[in-house]
Amino acid sequence: MVDDLKEFLERNGNSQTLAAVIGFPVNHSLSPTIHNAGFKHLNLQWNYIPLEVEEGDLEEVFEQMRSLNLKGLSVTMPYKAKAAVMVDECTPTAKALGVVNCVTSTDKGLIGHNTDGDGFLKALKHDADFDPKQKRVVVLGAGGAAKAITEALGRAEVSSLVVINRTQAKAESTAALATDVGTVGDLEDISEADLVVNATSLGMKDNATQFPCPVDLIHSDQLVVDLIYHPLKTPWLSAAEQKGARTHNGVSMLLFQATEAFTLWTGQQAPVSTMLRAIEEELERRS
Ligand SMILES: NC(=O)c1ccc[n+]([C@@H]2O[C@H](COP(=O)([O-])OP(=O)(O)OC[C@H]3O[C@@H](n4cnc5c(N)ncnc54)[C@H](OP(=O)(O)O)[C@@H]3O)[C@@H](O)[C@H]2O)c1
């Protein structure tokens, strides 16, 4: 795959700037669709490709980025933590999380960013006009997504953030990312929250019908967000809607983590509606 990258850069390096998503596997990634729609809309001579990278080739991809016309990189599973040590510098957020999902190539070298948390905050504003400042939040889950949104919600000055997770040790390290407002809690905390977020993988594929918390704990004064976007509406989100809560899925977080990266790479404002339409069409095609 690294040979493919070299060949691509040699062939197109002068006429096009390249961006890529690296991971293993990557063929399911929506990122090429989202970013290429944005480049096309703005008439930018950029091309975004998926690169399935074996672990042994990872370092070479970063070397290519230093020397060739590869200006933007998205990083997905399983390399997000490894990328954080391969870049020259991390932003404070990426450093706190130890996880990089976006790399920029700059005069100062390769900079690792994490755009998931800010993407989530923008999604709250876009979908629900919700300002998390001084709000009580419950985050269900303590994996990569939960960590990113917890750190961002801490920065956004929530009044409390309770993490509930199957594995307690992970709940503790996640809650610590929201500094002094983060705690580990249990199901009793849910009804007190203004915002409840499902950041577990319950609701996806193998766990499609499993709920991340009993829906009886949800009520109509709450905003409920499920980070899952495929399916667009998990059974838990539908049940929360039936309880009268305002509900949103993970499409906007996916969109805004991408628009943040787009702007970091190109310096241009991302065409949000075009990129959203590209996501919706692709998800529709896959459903
Ligand atoms: N919208 C977006 O842009 C976006 C971005 C990133 C992720 N996501 C979504 O967010 C979800 C989490 O992603 P991730 O990257 O954070 O995954 P991850 O790191 O693998 O974390 C998975 C989380 O789900 C919990 N979990 C898994 N199976 C469970 C079960 N049977 N019972 C109870 N808890 C269970 C895990 O608990 P343990 O710690 O106990 O294992 C952990 O907290 C996924 O659905 C993903 O699609 C969306």
Side-chain angles (χ1 to χ4, degrees):
M1 194 28 102
V2 173
D3 288 342
D4 292 352
L5 173 62
K6 276 186 196 157
E7 195 198 311
F8 186 94
L9 288 167
E10 273 157 21
R11 235 179 325 114
N12 300 297
N14 292 328
S15 59
Q16 280 187 328
T17 306
L18 190 67
V21 52
I22 57 166
F24 197 95
V26 283
N27 52 7
H28 64 286
S29 173
L30 286 162
S31 296
T33 306
I34 305 172
H35 287 290
N36 283 325
F39 296 149
K40 191 170 167 201
H41 183 91
L42 294 183
N43 253 327
L44 300 178
Q45 297 306 303
W46 281 63
N47 191 5
Y48 187 109
I49 59 168
L51 274 179
E52 194 154 273
V53 175
E54 305 268 355
E55 190 166 348
D57 289 337
L58 198 56
E59 209 153 339
E60 200 173 341
V61 172
F62 282 83
E63 283 315 309
Q64 297 293 325
M65 201 170 176
R66 287 175 211 281
S67 57
L68 292 170
N69 209 13
L70 174 61
K71 293 294 177 206
L73 204 61
S74 306
V75 185
T76 188
M77 299 299 284
Y79 300 133
K80 289 183 174 191
K82 290 199 171 74
V85 290
M86 287 191 178
V87 293
D88 300 307
E89 201 180 312
C90 277
T91 62
T93 291
K95 198 171 175 181
L97 298 169
V99 170
V100 157
N101 75 337
C102 164
V103 183
T104 51
S105 180
T106 74
D107 296 346
K108 291 188 198 147
L110 302 183
I111 312 293
H113 305 255
N114 192 303
T115 63
D116 276 339
D118 284 341
F120 177 73
L121 296 180
K122 282 199 166 174
L124 286 179
K125 174 80 185 146
H126 176 265
D127 287 349
D129 198 19
F130 184 88
D131 179 359
K133 190 169 180 173
Q134 293 307 312
K135 298 292 194 315
R136 297 159 299 179
V137 182
V138 165
V139 174
L140 305 169
K147 285 189 163 63
I149 67 167
T150 295
E151 190 272 344
L153 288 163
R155 276 189 282 118
E157 300 179 29
V158 295
S159 60
S160 67
L161 191 146
V162 176
V163 178
I164 301 172
N165 191 50
R166 177 178 61 179
T167 308
Q168 287 302 297
K170 281 168 72 180
E172 278 159 27
S173 57
T174 300
L177 289 163
T179 58
D180 49 339
V181 295
T183 52
V184 175
D186 53 39
L187 295 178
E188 280 177 14
D189 294 300
I190 292 174
S191 55
E192 296 295 312
D194 303 301
L195 168 66
V196 181
V197 186
N198 175 32
T200 74
S201 40
L202 296 178
M204 286 180 77
K205 296 179 227 147
D206 299 345
N207 301 315
T209 56
Q210 278 182 272
F211 282 13
C213 78
V215 80
D216 285 351
L217 302 170
I218 302 292
H219 56 78
S220 59
D221 293 336
Q222 293 175 320
L223 174 64
V224 173
V225 178
D226 197 327
L227 299 190
I228 293 172
Y229 50 81
H230 193 56
L232 285 173
K233 201 182 270 183
T234 59
W236 178 74
L237 202 64
S238 291
E241 192 177 65
Q242 275 161 24
K243 296 287 287 181
R246 281 197 296 160
T247 60
H248 293 283
N249 64 18
V251 166
S252 289
M253 175 173 167
L254 174 72
L255 169 69
F256 288 111
Q257 62 75 32
T259 61
E260 294 275 304
F262 186 99
T263 299
L264 286 167
W265 298 329
T266 64
Q268 308 254 0
Q269 210 163 358
V272 172
S273 338
T274 298
M275 290 166 81
L276 175 58
R277 208 172 321 115
I279 295 175
E280 288 170 343
E281 284 170 7
E282 184 59 21
L283 287 175
E284 169 75 18
R285 204 181 60 76
R286 292 183 188 188
S287 66

